[in-house]
């Protein structure tokens, strides 16, 4: 329990391990996760360390596993995650793992290459089949004449040319056929027209079904084209253009019989390829399914091996090269557990030499280690986000578990909204294991899930404060019946929002309050805001000052633990006096006013009527300014006997505390240093006098100037820094006491804003559906309720909840923790397989 309220006690140790047992011992320490190793080779390049080759082998194995994982995900094969945590394999098992991964990678790459070649052949045959089918349509469109290209000829040459060619004989046209991407057709057609000057004839038809690209696996849309031309020069030009647009050309016979024969051969080859492709895919699938069963465990093993060798690279070798030396931070309470882990590692390795773990003396500040569990870790993360606690400093987390959700609930007090938040947090807590197993990469969800216990507690506390405020979605619960007797208002007036004034002095109030929380009649009162403002503003100040006083009290535990008596006398005592005599006294005045002044006029005690109740703020200001309060002649300016002298005494004591905080500590340090310097110089003079007469003048001439210089200028500079630091600390505390007290008024402001927003949503949205009658009213209410529920969750629960959360965080970081928490430490980061695997899995998912 000591490490919950204060960080665990740490010690620096030196560890001696035999070379053959080092791997197994580090493996056991990684499973334990309680040792933070220091780098003893900071000046050695990472490529020159002893185990760099083993790390490279692990990197190569990890690369092969990532390749396997990518192929498994590509086929949509589920990877089996049994939740097992296999131990780190022995170094000799690395060879078997490397061989297994090498075999799987080579086999998979060979299968992929064969499959890609088969898919490329299948694509070519499919495109050739489409060309034979589509070009047959082109040829069939031009009937008449023995030569099927006669109409093409007429399209390419003019009438005069036809007349000349008729005397010379028939014109022979050439053609090429191929396939091109559909989006390239317009540019392809323009280029042919411009480059060939209109002397080619292009026909194209789209392939309806998409084709698979064997290289990328994407589905692409293509078109079949056929180009007619005359002469070898145009033929060369056309082929170059097709090559530039990455069009694939295929042989296409001119005779119909040859085309039919080729088409039959193509269909036969396609059927054979389909059979071979199916067998190849089945073999690939079997390989990946077998790998998917073990890939999670393989990743864990390889990452553990890699982490062990990374850690071993932090060690030093002794002169004999047979012993590894390490330095590490370990918790004192877990010292025996660490020794047991080292003993297990030695037994596993078969070594006969036991490891040696020695404590070391050091002036270095140890790391801060706070024991946490799944419940306290979320609150500890809130504190660490401000700054990691200084070693052995008081840990605010245990107190934040209560104060954080409570102060949040003061601003978010609504029974309905708190129920929604508690339900959401409780659902995450109940479904903790399955939700954690999913390991979502959504950052917002991970933040919510990490703070599930915080959300749950904030919801529960909000339900409590909502019950105190008697506020449920801006409406009240009349459980115990109102204690106000109202005779001048009807039900119709109440429903029509014709608000009324409630005045206890008019006799409408029964002499005892509502049992729990606020009376529900305030929900329809015209002076509801005035009443709630006074109530919530005062309790905000009460909570704030108690919270700050508690923070100052925690500083006493820090001073006591570190045996800093000077800070207790020069800082803690004047800080408590200043805060209690001024601000806590104001809280006492609030309670005196609540108890001494009655809600109704009492003729026998007119001075205790609400008309005579003095203002707390005016009273406090007059106390500070030493002014008298001007009141009615029938009323008493004071709340109790002897109030004015007591207030003057309290104020004088508080003012005295300011120079006390400012000067006491620096003056004490300065006087202490003068005594130390005097004693040192006196000892030097005695030592000089004890030597011979010849040496005495030398010592007298040299000792005094050195002492004067060192004790003069150097100490003055250091003392000036102490005075400046203490002045800043004093000004910060005195002014902060005022500003921090006012800062707690955000509890009142946000509570009021939340209640008013909830009331606006009820009156301007949901109330519109409640006033509709008949079956139409049911439909309207259904729609309006959906809108109201959406706005309630999005604005009042999420946005207002986030706003209240941030304000509560500020109250803890600034107003509370500044009284005792410095947060200048650094976190304890042990060598832990669990942490390494979690971070590695998150990196892989991202």
């Amino acid at each position: 329990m000591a490490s919950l309220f204060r960080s665990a006690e740490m010690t620096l140790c030196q560890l001696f391990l035999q070379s053959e047992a080092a791997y197994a011992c580090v493996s056991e320490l990684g499973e334990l996760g309680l040792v933070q190793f220091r780098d003893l080779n900071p000046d050695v390049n990472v490529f020159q360390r002893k185990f760099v080759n083993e790390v490279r082998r692990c990197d190569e194995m990890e690369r092969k596993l990532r390749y396997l994982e990518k192929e498994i995900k590509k086929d949509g094969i589920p990877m089996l995650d049994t939740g097992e945590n296999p131990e780190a394999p022995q170094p000799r098992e690395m060879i078997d793992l490397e061989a297994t991964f090498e075999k799987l990678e080579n086999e998979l790459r060979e299968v992929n290459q064969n499959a890609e070649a088969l898919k490329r052949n299948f694509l070519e045959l499919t495109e050739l089949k489409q060309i034979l089918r589509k070009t047959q349509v082109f040829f069939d469109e031009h009937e008449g004449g023995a030569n099927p290209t006669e109409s093409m000829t007429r399209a390419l040459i003019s009438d005069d040319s036809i007349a000349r060619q008729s005397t010379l004989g028939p014109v022979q046209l050439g053609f090429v056929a191929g396939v091109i991407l559909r989006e390239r057709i317009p540019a392809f057609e323009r280029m042919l027209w411009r480059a060939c000057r209109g002397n080619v004839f292009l026909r194209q038809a789209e392939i309806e079904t998409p084709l698979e690209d064997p290289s990328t696996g994407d589905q692409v849309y293509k078109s079949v084209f056929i180009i007619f031309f005359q002469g070898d020069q145009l033929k060369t030009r056309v082929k170059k253009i097709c090559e530039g647009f990455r069009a694939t050309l295929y042989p296409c016979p001119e005779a119909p019989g040859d085309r039919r024969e080729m088409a039959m051969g193509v269909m036969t080859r396609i059927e054979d390829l389909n059979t071979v492709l199916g067998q190849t895919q089945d073999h690939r699938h079997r390989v990946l399914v077998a790998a998917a069963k073990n890939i999670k465990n393989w990743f864990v093993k390889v990452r553990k091996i890699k982490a062990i060798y990374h850690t071993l690279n932090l060690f030093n070798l002794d002169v004999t090269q047979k012993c590894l030396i390490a330095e590490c931070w370990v918790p004192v309470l877990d010292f025996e557990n660490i020794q047991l882990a080292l003993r297990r590692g030695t037994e596993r390795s078969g070594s006969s030499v036991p490891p040696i773990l020695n404590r070391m003396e050091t002036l270095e500040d140890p790391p801060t280690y706070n024991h946490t569990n799944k419940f306290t870790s979320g609150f500890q993360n809130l504190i660490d986000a401000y700054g990691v606690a200084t070693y052995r400093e008081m840990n605010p987390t245990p107190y934040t578990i209560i104060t954080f959700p409570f102060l949040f609930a003061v601003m978010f007090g609504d029974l309905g909204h708190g129920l929604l938040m508690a339900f959401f947090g409780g659902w995450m807590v109940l479904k903790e294991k399955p939700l954690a197993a999913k390991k979502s990469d959504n950052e917002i969800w991970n933040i919510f899930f990490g703070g599930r216990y915080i959300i749950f507690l904030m919801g529960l506390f909000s339900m409590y404060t909502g019950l105190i405020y008697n506020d449920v979605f801006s409406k009240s619960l009349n459980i115990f019946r109102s204690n106000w007797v109202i005779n001048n208002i009807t039900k119709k007036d109440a429903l029509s929002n014709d608000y009324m004034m409630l005045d206890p002095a008019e006799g409408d109030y029964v002499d005892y309050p509502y049992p729990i929380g606020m009376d529900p009649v305030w929900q329809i009162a015209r002076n509801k805001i005035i009443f709630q403002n006074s109530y919530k503003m005062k309790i905000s100040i009460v909570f704030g000052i108690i919270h700050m006083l508690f923070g100052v009290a925690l500083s006493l535990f820090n001073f006591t633990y570190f045996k800093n008596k000077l800070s207790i006398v020069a800082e803690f005592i004047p800080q408590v006096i200043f805060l209690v005599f001024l601000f806590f006294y104001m809280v006492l005045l609030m309670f005196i006013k609540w108890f001494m002044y009655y809600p109704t006029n009492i003729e026998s005690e007119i001075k205790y009527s609400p008309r005579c109740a003095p203002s707390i703020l005016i009273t406090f200001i007059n106390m500070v300014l030493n002014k008298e309060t001007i009141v009615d002649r029938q009323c008493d300016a004071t709340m109790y006997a002897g109030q004015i002298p007591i207030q003057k005494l309290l104020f004088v004591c508080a003012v005295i505390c300011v120079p006390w905080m400012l000067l006491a500590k620096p003056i004490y340090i300065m006087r202490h240093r003068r005594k130390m310097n005097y004693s040192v110089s006196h000892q030097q003079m005695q030592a000089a006098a004890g030597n011979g007469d010849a040496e005495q003048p030398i010592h007298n001439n040299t000792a005094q100037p050195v002492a004067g210089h060192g004790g003069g200028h150097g100490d003055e500079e250091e003392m000036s820094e102490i005075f400046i630091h203490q002045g800043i600390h004093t000004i910060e505390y005195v002014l902060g006491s005022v500003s921090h007290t006012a800062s707690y008024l955000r509890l009142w402001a946000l509570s009021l804003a939340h209640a008013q927003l909830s009331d606006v949503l009820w009156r301007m949205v949901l109330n519109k559906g409640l006033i509709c009658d008949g079956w139409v009213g049911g439909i309207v209410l259904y729609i309006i309720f959906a809108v109201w529920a959406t706005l309630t969750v999005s604005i009042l629960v999420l946005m207002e909840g986030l706003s209240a959360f941030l304000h509560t965080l500020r109250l803890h970081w600034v107003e509370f923790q500044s009284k005792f928490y410095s947060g200048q430490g650094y976190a304890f980061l042990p060598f832990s397989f669990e942490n390494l695997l979690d971070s590695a899995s998150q990196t892989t998912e991202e």
Side-chain angles (χ1 to χ4, degrees), residues 25 96 374 380 410 454 489 563 594 783 838:
C25 289
D96 298 334
K374 62 183 180 180
Q380 187 66 54
V410 173
I454 302 176
I489 190 170
K563 298 179 181 179
W594 284 337
I783 298 173
D838 288 343

Side-chain angles (χ1 to χ4, degrees), residues 706-724:
V706 171
H709 182 270
H713 180 72
D715 285 357
E716 285 179 4
E717 183 179 2
E718 189 174 351
M719 285 307 305
S720 65
E721 293 180 359
I722 293 175
F723 272 104
I724 292 173

Side-chain angles (χ1 to χ4, degrees), residues 469-470 475-489 494 498-504 508-510 514 516-529 531-532:
Y469 294 158
N470 204 349
K475 293 300 174 184
S476 58
L477 297 174
N478 193 358
I479 301 175
F480 303 100
R481 299 183 62 183
S482 174
N483 286 329
W484 287 77
V485 179
I486 304 171
N487 300 319
N488 58 349
I489 190 170
D498 187 11
Y499 293 164
M500 60 183 179
M501 293 288 291
L502 293 181
D503 187 3
D508 295 334
Y509 179 64
V510 182
Y514 194 72
I516 298 177
M518 288 188 182
D519 198 300
V521 76
W522 285 105
Q523 196 63 239
I524 58 174
R526 189 183 302 171
N527 54 339
K528 166 188 173 183
I529 300 298
F531 169 73
Q532 289 188 348

